[in-house]
Amino acid sequence: MSTIALLVITGLALGALYFLIASGLSLIWGLMRVLNFAHGAFFTVASYCAFIAAAALPAGGPWLHFLFAVAVGVGVGGVFAALTEVVLVRPLYERHVGQVLVTVGLALATTALVQGGFGADPRQLELPVWLTGTTTIFAAIPNSRLLTIAAAALVLVLLRFFLQRTRYGLIVRAGVENRAMVSALGIDVQRAFTLVFAIGGMAAGLAGVLAGAYYGTIDPFRGTAMLLFAFIVVVIGGLGSVTGSAVAAVIVGLLQQFLNFYAAAGTGDFAVVVLLAVVLLRRPGGLFGSAT
Amino acid sequence: MTNEPLLDVRELDVFIGESHILQNVSFAVREGGITGLLGRNGVGKTTTLRGILGLVRRTGSVRLAGEELTRLPVHEVVRRGVGYVPEDRDVFAGLTVAENLRLAERGSAPPRYDLVYELFPELRERAAQKAGTLSGGQQQMVSLARALLVPDNRILLIDEPTKGLSPLYVKNVADALQRAAMVATILLVEQNFGVASRLVGDAIVLDQGRVVFRGTIATLSADPELARQHLGLATAGHA
């Protein structure tokens, strides 16, 4: 029982990290038809900026430092993403190959720059004591997992509120269906593009900081590694669907944890790819997406 | 009072791929009433509307009340007062009827919900229904309502609003267009000549991407040869 509880919570927490990255990717693809391979770079840059800024904070306890890191990570992720949209992606709308090349290039360049500046080795983080401890819920559950799940759940609620209850959310939902018609109603869809990029970057930045707490370290390559699974989550969940991303992230996280534990290590990752293939064959639009 | 047309299209050319779809299309639309943009299938009527809005790349000049529109992005063209009702309705299927209408709200004047619900009372009853679950006729109502809702719209570009509708909905839509013409100028693409001849005052006929007739619908109806040649009608005046 305790093993299952631990695997469930850990799988949910891993899924929560995937969701934080995938939700932005999904909205960006759904609205703008941009495959943003630079999304992992938002994660990486935000995590480094966050923990360096927190470490430089002259006063305050560990919690203040951590909360400051969260704020910096979210802010840096959002600004980096918005700049990426305005400077690199916007000139290449309708040029999909160009978009892929520029976002892949940015991802590679960012990883190389971070590696050059801070080294390839993982950096140990100073975290609040509670975050390095455990809470007993059928098993000793690492508190960082609980925090990650709670944060992702909050982001899901906020994103759904944004999409369902605000005018910009309405524009994004409409734009996911038919961007040209949104423009034909007199709406500057370009602004929605920048906003969606920024929101995606903020979520990825939060994921970068929470992943630091989850693993206890940050490194230049984790963003890229997690991006692969986030893309799988986006496709399984349905392109453009935030709820779909949340459900798919939970499925992928749990599948990975259980199979990697009960079967051979790596089986979970393989099973996720098989699941992706099955979904693509049986339901090409994903669990919550349209068939197109 | 000025003689300047509300919409002045000059030497409009549109290429799609290798095809020269519109060739030197020029016409003017007077303020008030309904002007018909007529012609057989595939002669460039829809492309003309899309060219006016900037939804396709075009060269030439499009002026609304003297202001050049061709350098503006689509949303700015619309904000100048150009409403658009596309051929395929293009309602947002995953949004409710109310959300589809709310999305269209813009400008400083309050949206004309009274007019919209007077013309299409069904939309009030179906406000919470997903637009994708509506019938074709109901979706057409949503599409027309989005354009009519905005008091700032000076001209409405309406593309085949009766296409594929049952006779009952054709009548409803035709009645609504007649009423809409009291609050905005309409440039109407319509294949149903019976509907067009009832609604339209001035007519522009396109053939193979060129304007081949400018005049009144009465003149067009009275010339059986012209109607047969450019509209494919066996007898002018009959749909």
Side-chain angles (χ1 to χ4, degrees):
Chain A
M1 183 65 190
S2 63
T3 303
I4 288 176
L6 184 62
L7 288 173
V8 166
I9 299 291
T10 308
L12 287 175
L14 188 59
L17 290 176
Y18 290 153
F19 165 72
L20 289 172
I21 303 171
S23 54
L25 274 180
S26 186
L27 282 179
I28 289 169
W29 169 261
L31 181 67
M32 300 149 75
R33 298 291 183 266
V34 172
L35 271 178
N36 179 27
F37 288 94
H39 215 70
F42 306 157
F43 173 105
T44 303
V45 169
S47 64
Y48 272 83
C49 287
F51 286 107
I52 288 165
L57 206 62
W63 271 111
L64 182 67
H65 282 233
F66 182 73
L67 292 174
F68 185 62
V70 169
V72 170
V74 169
V76 167
V79 170
F80 188 17
L83 285 174
T84 301
E85 193 277 327
V86 171
V87 177
L88 295 177
V89 177
R90 189 174 293 181
L92 296 171
Y93 281 125
E94 312 302 335
R95 291 160 66 186
H96 298 292
V97 174
Q99 288 167 359
V100 168
L101 291 176
V102 81
T103 56
V104 167
L106 179 62
L108 293 174
T110 303
T111 305
L113 279 173
V114 172
Q115 188 183 349
F118 301 99
D121 295 333
R123 287 168 69 97
Q124 290 289 334
L125 300 176
E126 293 291 330
L127 294 168
V129 175
W130 183 84
L131 269 181
T132 57
T134 60
T135 297
T136 303
I137 308 172
F138 300 110
I141 307 290
N143 291 332
S144 60
R145 275 56 168 171
L146 298 175
L147 177 73
T148 304
I149 294 166
L154 179 65
V155 168
L156 175 60
V157 170
L158 291 175
L159 275 177
R160 285 192 58 82
F161 179 85
F162 165 75
L163 289 170
Q164 300 293 331
R165 303 284 178 202
T166 69
R167 178 157 178 85
Y168 263 108
L170 189 61
I171 292 168
V172 170
R173 282 193 291 143
V176 166
E177 284 193 36
N178 187 339
R179 199 170 57 186
M181 194 59 219
V182 173
S183 293
L185 290 177
I187 294 163
D188 183 1
V189 81
Q190 200 84 59
R191 271 195 216 168
F193 289 0
T194 310
L195 182 68
V196 162
F197 246 85
I199 289 172
M202 289 163 77
L206 178 63
V209 178
L210 292 173
Y214 183 102
Y215 293 103
T217 59
I218 54 174
D219 70 62
F221 313 108
R222 187 169 295 132
T224 310
M226 297 204 79
L227 184 65
L228 176 64
F229 288 104
F231 267 124
I232 292 173
V233 162
V234 168
V235 175
I236 293 174
L239 296 159
S241 169
V242 169
T243 305
S245 290
V247 172
V250 168
I251 293 171
V252 168
L254 290 174
L255 197 61
Q256 275 187 308
Q257 288 299 315
F258 274 85
L259 285 179
N260 282 340
F261 183 82
Y262 284 112
T267 316
D269 300 353
F270 176 71
V272 166
V273 177
V274 172
L275 176 65
L276 171 70
V278 170
V279 169
L280 283 175
L281 287 171
R282 303 290 301 177
R283 205 177 162 88
L287 300 178
F288 287 77
S290 64
T292 53
Chain B
M1 191 67 184
T2 169
N3 288 327
E4 188 178 39
L6 178 62
L7 182 72
D8 193 7
V9 176
R10 298 264 172 108
E11 298 171 1
L12 193 67
D13 277 74
V14 171
F15 286 86
I16 297 179
E18 297 293 304
S19 305
H20 195 173
I21 305 294
L22 294 187
Q23 300 173 38
N24 207 28
V25 167
S26 298
F27 61 86
V29 176
R30 287 186 297 181
E31 183 148 23
I34 302 178
T35 297
L37 185 59
L38 310 175
R40 294 170 187 261
N41 274 332
V43 296
K45 303 184 298 293
T46 295
T47 305
T48 302
L49 298 192
R50 293 172 64 82
I52 291 168
L53 275 174
L55 285 167
V56 289
R57 286 193 185 172
R58 77 292 208 214
T59 59
S61 165
V62 177
R63 289 175 175 272
L64 182 72
E67 184 185 5
E68 181 61 52
L69 300 180
T70 44
R71 289 182 203 90
L72 301 174
V74 175
H75 71 275
E76 286 294 347
V77 171
V78 173
R79 284 183 191 177
R80 295 298 192 276
V82 182
Y84 179 49
V85 180
E87 182 181 9
D88 299 322
R89 291 135 200 170
D90 284 349
V91 297
F92 300 104
L95 271 54
T96 65
V97 169
E99 286 174 332
N100 267 274
L101 299 183
R102 208 163 75 230
L103 198 64
E105 292 176 11
R106 67 181 156 77
S108 49
R112 289 191 289 230
Y113 278 100
D114 288 349
L115 172 66
V116 161
Y117 288 141
E118 176 200 325
L119 292 175
F120 310 117
E122 245 182 287
L123 296 187
R124 191 198 294 269
E125 296 154 22
R126 297 180 184 275
Q129 189 174 335
K130 288 272 168 69
T133 65
L134 299 172
S135 70
Q138 291 162 343
Q139 289 189 1
Q140 189 59 265
M141 290 178 187
V142 174
S143 193
L144 282 166
R146 287 190 308 207
L148 286 171
L149 200 62
V150 183
D152 291 356
N153 280 341
R154 303 181 65 183
I155 185 165
L156 307 182
L157 311 180
I158 303 181
D159 196 355
E160 302 223 28
T162 64
K163 184 181 169 188
L165 301 186
S166 67
L168 176 65
Y169 276 119
V170 169
K171 184 182 180 311
N172 285 350
V173 166
D175 290 347
L177 291 176
Q178 216 157 24
R179 178 78 172 80
M182 295 176 187
V183 297
T185 303
I186 293 175
L187 178 59
L188 174 70
V189 169
E190 181 55 65
Q191 284 279 70
N192 184 330
F193 195 75
V195 172
S197 57
R198 178 189 146 193
L199 297 174
V200 165
D202 292 340
I204 300 141
V205 178
L206 292 182
D207 198 1
Q208 295 182 5
R210 298 170 189 271
V211 174
V212 293
F213 175 84
R214 295 182 196 87
T216 64
I217 193 80
T219 310
L220 187 62
S221 299
D223 188 338
E225 180 54 26
L226 194 67
R228 186 195 62 75
Q229 194 180 346
H230 298 301
L231 302 178
L233 300 177
T235 307
H238 293 81

